[in-house]
Amino acid sequence: MSPEHQHPGHAQETGSFGEAFLAHALTPQNLGALPNPEGFARPQRDCGDYIELYLRIQDEVISDARFLTEGCVQVVACGSALTCLIKGRPVSQALQVDAELIQAELGGLPPQHRHCAELAERTLKEALRDYWSRRRSPWRAVYPRR
Ligand code: FES
């Protein structure tokens, strides 16, 4: 079966990389940091990989999302896919973005790298929790934490 006839979700299970995955992995979108973000998180997996997520949120809409990471190529692709999926979306819609959706955006991940998408989901949820907690405690905007 030629690569273009494979089901996208199976692209990486066969060891090949699909077009969507390669686009996010080789030219990641939204790389970088944001000064004084409204939401921030940097959880780390036991494999040692982490994603730093910076959210700019205005009127309950994620107007900008940037990420930095250190880890495997799959986690780079997941950070890129995650930021593309949430940028310009209301917070209520961004909450629906989970590991499954991130994998779908990438055309699938091999089983041993599914936890990379779970890390991206966890990073988003923690950054949104950080946003809500800053709103409850506005003085934290004056003393931002990294
Ligand atoms: Fe652990 Fe990718 S190998 S996040």
Side-chain angles (χ1 to χ4, degrees):
M1 187 185 289
S2 67
E4 58 273 19
H5 291 116
Q6 288 176 345
H7 185 278
H10 295 171
Q12 285 206 52
E13 303 199 357
T14 58
S16 62
F17 293 109
E19 226 173 85
F21 177 84
L22 287 176
H24 281 290
L26 300 180
T27 52
Q29 305 296 301
N30 307 308
L31 261 185
L34 290 172
N36 301 322
E38 278 74 43
F40 172 80
R42 186 195 186 277
Q44 188 165 25
R45 289 283 310 207
D46 36 16
C47 62
D49 294 1
Y50 68 83
I51 299 175
E52 281 184 5
L53 182 63
Y54 298 79
L55 301 178
R56 175 74 64 238
I57 302 177
Q58 288 158 331
D59 299 327
E60 290 298 301
V61 172
I62 299 178
S63 57
D64 203 356
R66 306 281 176 92
F67 80 103
L68 294 171
T69 184
E70 192 161 312
C72 62
V73 68
Q74 284 82 3
V75 89
V76 174
C78 286
S80 174
L82 169 68
T83 52
C84 288
L85 284 167
I86 62 174
K87 219 168 144 172
R89 293 274 179 93
V91 168
S92 57
Q93 277 181 25
L95 264 175
Q96 313 301 317
V97 172
D98 60 8
E100 287 299 311
L101 213 58
I102 293 164
Q103 286 188 71
E105 175 79 7
L106 295 171
L109 287 173
Q112 68 273 26
H113 281 288
R114 298 219 168 118
H115 76 268
C116 311
E118 288 163 10
L119 173 62
E121 176 186 343
R122 184 176 143 203
T123 310
L124 171 63
K125 304 276 152 75
E126 286 190 18
L128 289 174
R129 261 201 300 276
D130 181 51
Y131 163 63
W132 288 312
S133 129
R134 284 173 199 247
R135 277 204 334 184
R136 280 195 306 271
S137 316
W139 58 87
R140 289 182 54 206
V142 183
Y143 300 101
R145 82 172 179 202
R146 265 210 77 204

